[in-house]
Amino acid sequence: MRIQVNGEHREVEAATILALVEELGLDVRKVAVERNLEIVPRSLHASTALAEGDRVELVQFVGGG
Amino acid sequence: MTAPTDTWTVAGRTFSSRLIVGTGKYKTYQENAEAAEAAGAEIVTVAVRRVNLTDPDQPMLVDYVKPDRFTFLPNTAGCFTGEDAVRTLRLAREAGGWDLVKLEVLSDTAHLYPDMIETLRALELLIKDGFQVMVYCTDDVVMAKRLEEAGAAAIMPAAAPIGSGLGIQNRVNIRLIIEQATVPVLVDAGVGTPSDATLAMELGCDAVLMNTAIAGAKDPILMASAMKHAVIAGRQGYLAGRMPRRMYASASSPMAGLI
């Protein structure tokens, strides 16, 4: 299905948030997820389904002052 | 010797190090981690950004500056509205699971001074959302009080523009902010040298927050160590109480018994 990840359009196989994080090769323990402007808690990654046109943000901590 | 009980407390968390360091602008995360250790820091500021989807294997901050070693203080750098700040810090809370945060709502200008009207509005939104907020602000004494009344966990006035290294530009204001505050006051931004950090602590700050002063030094690890000692020196000087200023000389050696 076609969704937006971090502002980029992408065709993905994943049907859930957890599957998406894994499909992108990311460490699920180190990223935070927002789906359509709502936080998806880590405990709900596996049970949160993706839908066509979803806008997903995947963020991490980086250096900052 | 500083008594081991000389600690400071923000939002119910107690720390003995009075030096908070940023994690930006280092050559590598490794150097960053070594500098944070050399500074004796217990708290480090961090930013929240999109992961790199094209290179998911690139080094990550948390692999070097570890969250089980340092208290992470997520910031809102890059946010220009209250809504941006709330969104960013909700993600930070999800990434790290804590509610102690640093609010900075900057004006989109060369001097990067905070937009205090929007900062106050963002603070109110964040408190409603359950955050404990340390607030980066101008050294405006009245605005600092407003922030405190709105529920800020700490007041963090800029000593000079972010990354400028110009040192404390208005020590009268910093002192007035400290005198009126019932929450911790930290100088955040503008420190360039160890003596700047010492001066901030001599004025009575509870702690100092800096990034570029260490990261931008020729030898960041050595500067981190210098800053650690500077903050301790300033704190001890503040606690010891300085001698009175005099207009005229006062001989240190006795006049009696001269040969």
Side-chain angles (χ1 to χ4, degrees):
Chain A
M1 90 184 91
R2 219 167 153 69
I3 61 170
Q4 232 186 80
V5 184
N6 289 357
E8 291 172 17
H9 292 283
R10 263 176 190 264
E11 187 68 37
V12 298
E13 300 287 320
T16 65
I17 293 289
L18 180 62
L20 175 68
V21 172
E22 286 170 350
E23 184 178 325
L24 294 169
L26 301 167
D27 184 339
V28 70
R29 294 163 305 168
K30 294 176 190 166
V31 297
V33 183
E34 185 195 78
R35 173 176 170 260
N36 300 330
L37 300 175
E38 294 284 333
I39 298 286
V40 183
R42 203 158 288 143
S43 57
L44 299 180
H45 284 190
S47 58
T48 302
L50 286 170
E52 187 77 27
D54 272 357
R55 283 176 303 139
V56 177
E57 290 287 339
L58 301 169
V59 305
Q60 62 180 348
F61 287 128
V62 301
Chain B
M1 273 292 289
T2 308
T5 50
D6 181 35
T7 56
W8 67 289
T9 300
V10 59
R13 296 163 172 87
T14 298
F15 300 94
S16 38
S17 169
R18 293 175 181 271
L19 177 53
I20 299 178
V21 297
T23 57
K25 300 183 180 174
Y26 286 92
K27 285 187 206 78
T28 62
Y29 281 142
Q30 179 61 38
E31 180 184 73
N32 191 337
E34 285 171 29
E37 287 292 347
E42 292 172 314
I43 305 175
V44 298
T45 60
V46 296
V48 177
R49 291 292 180 270
R50 285 171 165 171
V51 296
N52 185 336
L53 296 175
T54 50
D55 182 13
D57 294 325
Q58 70 176 346
M60 291 178 84
L61 174 74
V62 293
D63 294 329
Y64 295 86
V65 182
K66 300 208 160 120
D68 57 2
R69 169 71 185 80
F70 299 99
T71 295
F72 275 23
L73 184 64
N75 71 24
T76 60
C79 295
F80 296 101
T81 68
E83 285 72 18
D84 288 348
V86 170
R87 187 181 174 203
T88 298
L89 291 177
R90 279 181 177 164
L91 279 163
R93 184 163 54 186
E94 168 58 18
W98 44 75
D99 55 16
L100 185 64
V101 295
K102 168 180 165 176
L103 174 64
E104 53 181 310
V105 181
L106 306 182
S107 54
D108 191 7
T109 53
H111 53 67
L112 286 180
Y113 266 119
D115 176 338
M116 289 315 303
I117 307 286
E118 195 61 23
T119 296
L120 182 58
R121 201 175 72 82
L123 172 63
E124 287 162 353
L125 292 174
L126 286 166
I127 287 170
K128 258 185 230 159
D129 215 66
F131 287 99
Q132 309 268 8
V133 191
M134 300 173 73
V135 187
Y136 174 62
C137 55
T138 55
D139 60 4
D140 181 309
V141 185
V142 178
M143 197 43 109
K145 195 70 197 164
R146 288 288 192 94
L147 295 172
E148 190 177 334
E149 285 164 0
I155 306 293
M156 304 204 293
I162 292 174
S164 69
L166 290 171
I168 299 176
Q169 296 298 298
N170 194 337
R171 62 178 83 177
V172 175
N173 281 17
I174 299 290
R175 181 63 210 159
L176 288 171
I177 289 170
I178 290 165
E179 277 182 14
Q180 72 179 3
T182 59
V183 296
V185 175
L186 292 79
V187 156
D188 177 359
V191 165
T193 62
S195 56
D196 294 336
T198 301
L199 179 57
M201 295 307 296
E202 284 176 7
L203 288 172
C205 283
D206 292 276
V208 178
L209 196 163
M210 66 179 74
N211 188 341
T212 315
I214 296 174
K218 207 181 289 175
D219 182 342
I221 316 295
L222 187 57
M223 185 58 86
S225 167
M227 290 297 186
K228 171 184 166 174
H229 291 109
V231 167
I232 292 170
R235 176 64 184 171
Q236 291 183 349
Y238 172 74
L239 291 175
R242 62 152 298 150
M243 62 162 280
R245 286 185 173 85
R246 290 194 185 88
M247 282 295 283
Y248 300 101
S250 161
S252 298
S253 304
M255 292 306 286
L258 276 173
I259 52 166

